[in-house]
Amino acid sequence: MSLHISDAVIWQETGDGISLYHSESGDFRTLNATAAQIWALVESDGDRETVITNLSLLFAGHNPVMTARIRAEVDAFISSMIEADLIEETDAGTPATRSEPAARS
């Protein structure tokens, strides 16, 4: 499955994390530093497993308990972003129908 930021999302990195605005729903959110790392990895990698692997290597090393916790928390965060229409997930073989990249200021 491939992840990408919704075209309706305008986002900006701040000193505290990342601010998100969904232009269609009017939803505004501020992501803390941890959630901002996940968001940035989704934006650069676009793959759930890659995001989990990168964060696990960074924070868990070879600790399987911490790796499992990171997996659960990343899955929960990504699922909540998909539910809020901030991130979209498509089959890897299905091209995303994006007319232009997600807005970033």
Side-chain angles (χ1 to χ4, degrees):
M1 300 296 259
S2 178
L3 301 168
H4 67 273
I5 297 168
S6 169
D7 291 338
V9 174
I10 300 167
W11 62 283
Q12 175 179 323
E13 292 182 50
T14 67
D16 296 326
I18 290 180
S19 295
L20 308 173
Y21 175 71
H22 192 281
S23 62
E24 294 172 0
S25 69
D27 186 21
F28 180 81
R29 297 179 187 213
T30 300
L31 304 180
N32 65 24
T34 303
Q37 278 190 301
I38 298 169
W39 183 270
L41 286 169
V42 166
E43 195 244 346
S44 66
D45 296 320
D47 178 73
R48 187 184 296 246
E49 285 303 314
T50 303
V51 171
I52 292 167
T53 298
N54 287 341
L55 287 175
S56 294
L57 290 172
L58 185 62
F59 294 109
H62 297 289
N63 183 325
V65 173
M66 287 301 298
T67 298
R69 183 174 177 184
I70 288 168
R71 173 175 296 282
E73 291 183 10
V74 169
D75 280 337
F77 173 78
I78 290 173
S79 294
S80 73
M81 294 290 104
I82 290 170
E83 186 176 311
D85 294 324
L86 298 169
I87 291 176
E88 297 171 354
E89 188 169 38
T90 58
D91 289 332
T94 305
T97 56
R98 292 175 58 170
S99 56
E100 57 189 73
R104 181 178 181 185
S105 55

